[in-house]
Amino acid sequence: MIRFNHSLAALRFARIANGVSQLHGEVSRQMWGHYENVAPIKAITNAQNWKYWADKQLYRFMEEGNDFGFDDRKRHLKKRAFDIVADQTGKLLDPDVLTIVWARRFAGYKRAELLTRDLARFERLINNIDRPVQIIWAGKPYPLDYPAISDFNHLDHLSKSYKNVAVCIGYELALSKRLKQAADIWLNNPRVPREASGTSGMTAAMNGAVNLSTHDGWICEFINHGNNGFVVPPIDYSAVHVQEQDQYDLDQLYKILEEQVVPLYYGNKDTWRQIVKNGMRDVRIQFDSNRMAHEYYEEMYKA
């Protein structure tokens, strides 16, 4: 039986096509390049609207060099967001504690529950009295995506055992913005190279959150490790089994959290603040939607 391939048909009818990050373009060309008569596949990396998403006061304090105002504003943003978390979950989190947020659509390849696969290490992280950590998950799966629904239910059940772990329902624009303002670390751990682009980390950086991510999507073009964020060192994922890939990413994420993120946040506030500011500056320059719209016009529609 011959099956009709909609993607291949679209690529053959199109004059030109594009991926939504540079990596997505590379992967797409590898996937479809051996077929005849397909359109050339370029890449235009996604972006976000800085004017809508960014916290302008945080940027103003940064530009003025007012570190006291900058820190106070970020603390205020966290505290305000935690009121929403408390309203949903009954848990009142602490704005002075390092806060990790994972919030987006639940899908299997996004591995929302990855950190919880090593429960002993997870508990060491969140039960550290001297350098405490709190974690928020939020989002929703598609209605018939049963593996993603299972991931959500697992995390919701797990959160009931910890006062500093919360799971929020939903991910509409207002909650999305507040959770990004709540985050010190915006966690993004898709299974490489499954994430075409991703954009939530862009708007998180616009609100003073530091990205911690696997090397996928737009992140490959953004993160300078230790300077404006943190990224799992890439390996040849095609050469390892999926279980090995997951274990490698899990170990690397914990290593970065335990050896770099937590010590910096609590032990070197000036360096931590500079990483936050670097991310805010870099994301505004490279990943504002005006750049994306200009590239679509020049490279796709006008060409």
Side-chain angles (χ1 to χ4, degrees):
M1 183 178 70
I2 298 175
R3 292 187 177 182
F4 182 76
N5 189 314
H6 290 81
S7 298
L8 182 57
L11 284 169
R12 283 177 169 165
F13 275 110
R15 179 177 59 86
I16 193 169
N18 73 281
V20 290
S21 70
Q22 299 307 306
L23 179 62
H24 186 217
E26 292 176 20
V27 171
S28 298
R29 287 188 289 271
Q30 291 171 8
M31 286 176 63
W32 302 105
H34 61 282
Y35 291 97
E36 295 181 353
N37 302 319
V38 298
I41 301 173
K42 306 181 75 170
I44 296 175
T45 304
N46 281 342
Q48 287 280 20
N49 188 293
W50 182 88
K51 187 174 181 180
Y52 174 83
W53 284 102
D55 184 74
K56 310 307 184 298
Q57 291 190 54
L58 206 56
Y59 271 89
R60 178 169 59 83
F61 286 129
M62 177 181 72
E63 290 160 3
E64 293 173 351
N66 184 345
D67 289 344
F68 175 82
F70 186 88
D71 293 346
D72 185 66
R73 177 62 181 172
K74 181 61 181 179
R75 187 182 189 279
H76 166 75
L77 294 174
K78 291 174 69 176
K79 187 174 185 300
R80 184 175 64 181
F82 291 161
D83 288 342
I84 299 173
V85 177
D87 187 52
Q88 278 207 22
T89 68
K91 297 179 179 182
L92 188 59
L93 302 181
D94 186 343
D96 295 315
V97 167
L98 174 64
T99 304
I100 301 171
V101 178
W102 189 105
R104 54 185 58 80
R105 177 174 65 87
F106 274 70
Y109 78 91
K110 293 178 184 285
R111 302 183 299 185
E113 37 55 76
L114 183 61
L115 285 184
T116 71
R117 295 186 192 179
D118 187 335
L119 196 57
R121 212 163 180 181
F122 177 76
E123 291 192 334
R124 284 201 303 273
L125 180 72
I126 65 170
N127 290 335
N128 189 321
I129 297 173
D130 297 326
R131 291 177 169 178
V133 174
Q134 52 200 12
I135 302 181
I136 303 169
W137 277 278
K140 58 179 76 171
Y142 287 143
L144 298 180
D145 187 349
Y146 296 113
I149 292 169
S150 177
D151 285 345
F152 182 91
N153 289 340
H154 162 71
L155 290 170
D156 185 54
H157 179 73
L158 183 78
S159 70
K160 296 173 183 177
S161 300
Y162 308 99
K163 64 180 182 180
N164 53 341
V165 177
V167 176
C168 293
I169 299 172
Y171 194 53
E172 68 281 359
L173 288 175
L175 179 61
S176 172
K177 188 168 186 175
R178 290 290 181 258
L179 289 175
K180 287 156 186 175
Q181 293 173 344
D184 295 303
I185 283 290
W186 189 259
L187 180 61
N188 177 55
N189 47 247
R191 188 177 287 126
V192 180
R194 295 291 304 279
E195 189 69 81
S197 175
T199 57
S200 65
M202 300 175 190
T203 50
M206 293 174 185
N207 287 278
V210 174
N211 278 274
L212 168 58
S213 179
T214 49
H215 196 261
D216 205 5
W218 77 283
I219 286 291
C220 306
E221 303 162 50
F222 172 68
I223 286 190
N224 178 353
H225 184 86
N227 178 269
N228 66 358
F230 301 90
V231 65
V232 171
I235 60 171
D236 182 3
Y237 289 105
S238 65
V240 297
H241 193 275
V242 67
Q243 275 101 355
E244 294 176 292
Q245 178 180 357
D246 287 359
Q247 188 61 50
Y248 170 80
D249 290 340
L250 176 62
D251 290 339
Q252 289 296 317
L253 285 170
Y254 270 114
K255 184 177 180 181
I256 293 169
L257 283 168
E258 293 165 349
E259 297 180 8
Q260 297 179 63
V261 170
V262 174
L264 267 178
Y265 183 85
Y266 286 108
N268 195 333
K269 209 66 174 179
D270 290 339
T271 300
W272 178 263
R273 187 189 305 109
Q274 192 58 54
I275 293 171
V276 174
K277 290 179 178 180
N278 290 344
M280 290 171 63
R281 288 194 184 99
D282 292 348
V283 79
R284 183 176 184 181
I285 294 168
Q286 296 176 258
F287 299 98
D288 179 60
S289 54
N290 288 330
R291 185 272 304 159
M292 180 183 69
H294 176 76
E295 287 186 5
Y296 268 102
Y297 176 73
E298 291 293 333
E299 299 183 26
M300 297 292 290
Y301 306 136
K302 183 181 174 182

